[in-house]
Amino acid sequence: MSTNMYDVIIAGGGGAGLTAALYTSRAMLKTLLFEKLIPGGQIATTDMVENYPGFPEGIMGAEISSRMEAQARKYGTEIQYAPVETIEKTGSEIMIKSGANRLTTKSLIIAVGASFKMLGIPGEKELTGKGVSYCATCDGAFFKNKEIVVVGGGDSALQEGIFLTRFVKKLTILHRRDKLRGSPILQSRAKKNPKIEFLWDTILTKIEGTGKVERIQIKNVKTSQERFFDTNGVFIFVGHEPNTKFIQGLVQMDEKGYIITRENLGTSVPGIFACGEVRAGSTRQLVSACGEGCEAALAAQAYLENLE
Ligand code: NAP
């Protein structure tokens, strides 16, 4: 077991957390960042980022993630690839538990983001990894020349669906309404793509197959008609939920579990800040996550100056 006192601990290594780490470590604050999976968070599994300023040709999600990690490390950020399990505040000190480690910090930035939502239908859990996926860049290559469906009508479904057409023979987007939610540029690209078809007003009710996805049951929500549809894969992009279950009761959250922030991204607890997609009201864009990471870092810095 090790004990250590930090100026700033950052939970989460997506765009928000890595930018916060860059700013605090560059300000000579002793900074430790925890990331439970890979640097970059959701952006690391995005094929191409086209709307981060400064990259007119776009930049691969994995590349911008590793560049952000390298930049934070360059100024002294320590990174532990482990989940934060519990957070407690006693007086002005915040205690973090991660595995056998107990670490103490004067300030904390929560940037743990959000995870994909599941549909919660029969067959979904059982066939995850056997044809059901939530990550196009991770699993797309398994579907060369296959026929698949994508569920959802937002930017994720459209962007990831367009990416998947590199591999598949045919892709059907199932959307529960007859109007897409995603941005006009992605809608137009998806509608022009010869491999993409749309099934409107349609929900998925069941996924079936022996050892792998073979067919789905779908329902037209206007006519209530149900039918089976043969497919090799199901990619689900129906939104996100915040990764805040492990900190219930620590800071004020909204009814969905997103953290409510005040001025300068402070939470209801002094010394604890939140930024990026975990924050209620976030725009869920990489560029704003990075901006919020900067803002939370500057606020933590000001908080620490006032402590001394
Ligand atoms: P989203 O915008 O919340 O869209 C979720 C989609 O799934 C909606 O079309 C929704 O239908 C549908 N849906 C939700 N629950 C469902 C259910 N139980 N059954 C069937 N369909 C369901 O989520 P997202 O696409 O992941 O995007 C999240 C945020 O990230 C957005 O702010 C988006 O702009 C951003 N983002 C941006 C980019 C980019 O800039 N290139 C890329 C990816 C994501 P309804 O439309 O009927 O609600």
Side-chain angles (χ1 to χ4, degrees):
M1 185 193 291
S2 65
T3 316
N4 239 325
M5 172 65 106
Y6 286 87
D7 293 316
V8 188
I9 286 185
I10 298 164
L18 287 171
T19 307
L22 165 64
Y23 271 78
T24 56
S25 53
R26 200 162 170 274
M28 311 291 283
L29 298 172
K30 188 172 156 62
T31 301
L32 170 67
L33 180 144
F34 281 96
E35 166 55 46
K36 69 175 179 184
L37 290 169
I38 44 170
Q42 284 180 48
I43 222 66
T45 57
T46 300
D47 172 46
M48 183 64 83
V49 179
E50 291 183 336
N51 50 7
Y52 193 85
F55 299 95
E57 311 305 329
I59 179 164
M60 303 295 281
E63 188 182 349
I64 195 164
S65 302
S66 63
R67 286 190 188 202
M68 283 185 187
E69 183 201 16
Q71 201 170 354
R73 280 193 194 275
K74 175 178 167 187
Y75 292 100
T77 298
E78 292 172 43
I79 301 186
Q80 283 197 17
Y81 286 103
V84 170
E85 284 153 13
T86 57
I87 300 171
E88 274 169 45
K89 185 164 189 219
T90 324
S92 63
E93 287 188 0
I94 302 161
M95 178 83 95
I96 310 284
K97 180 178 170 289
S98 172
N101 285 333
R102 305 279 188 283
L103 301 145
T104 319
T105 179
K106 296 177 202 161
S107 69
L108 171 75
I109 296 175
I110 304 174
V112 292
S115 297
F116 56 76
K117 257 195 332 219
M118 294 177 78
L119 286 170
I121 54 168
E124 181 182 16
K125 228 184 200 165
E126 298 82 341
L127 291 165
T128 292
K130 296 172 182 153
V132 175
S133 173
Y134 304 84
C135 176
T137 44
C138 318
D139 298 328
F142 297 124
F143 295 88
K144 276 197 187 114
N145 295 319
K146 307 262 186 204
E147 298 196 3
I148 63 165
V149 299
V150 163
V151 186
D155 280 335
S156 297
L158 297 176
Q159 184 166 11
E160 304 304 308
I162 293 164
F163 170 73
L164 285 165
T165 58
R166 292 183 193 188
F167 308 100
V168 302
K169 186 160 75 184
K170 189 183 149 202
L171 182 153
T172 307
I173 295 182
L174 304 186
H175 184 38
R176 64 180 176 184
R177 291 187 293 140
D178 60 2
K179 272 198 187 67
L180 294 167
R181 180 180 289 281
S183 55
I185 186 167
L186 292 176
Q187 288 196 30
S188 145
R189 273 189 214 161
K191 285 177 179 166
K192 279 190 204 140
N193 191 308
K195 287 189 181 175
I196 297 181
E197 278 181 15
F198 289 88
L199 266 181
W200 304 107
D201 302 313
T202 301
I203 57 166
L204 190 53
T205 51
K206 202 194 276 182
I207 308 173
E208 290 187 349
T210 312
K212 62 178 178 15
V213 170
E214 287 164 348
R215 76 193 77 76
I216 54 173
Q217 191 174 32
I218 57 175
K219 179 177 175 182
N220 182 301
V221 291
K222 286 195 172 149
T223 61
S224 294
Q225 217 170 17
E226 288 192 274
R227 66 179 167 105
F228 281 97
F229 186 101
D230 286 344
T231 189
N232 303 118
V234 181
F235 282 78
I236 300 170
F237 302 108
V238 293
H240 296 97
E241 53 196 6
N243 295 322
T244 50
K245 288 205 178 85
F246 74 109
I247 45 168
Q248 287 304 313
L250 177 73
V251 292
Q252 195 185 356
M253 295 175 195
D254 70 10
E255 67 291 347
K256 291 185 179 154
Y258 288 95
I259 297 175
I260 295 172
T261 51
R262 290 125 214 257
E263 214 185 332
N264 300 330
L265 303 187
T267 66
S268 53
V269 178
I272 303 185
F273 304 85
C275 54
E277 203 176 333
V278 74
R279 200 179 67 75
S282 128
T283 57
R284 298 172 162 144
Q285 300 294 310
L286 177 60
V287 65
S288 43
C290 294
E292 289 184 17
C294 161
E295 194 179 342
L298 296 178
Q301 197 179 330
Y303 169 82
L304 292 170
E305 278 162 14
N306 283 331
L307 268 189
E308 278 152 18

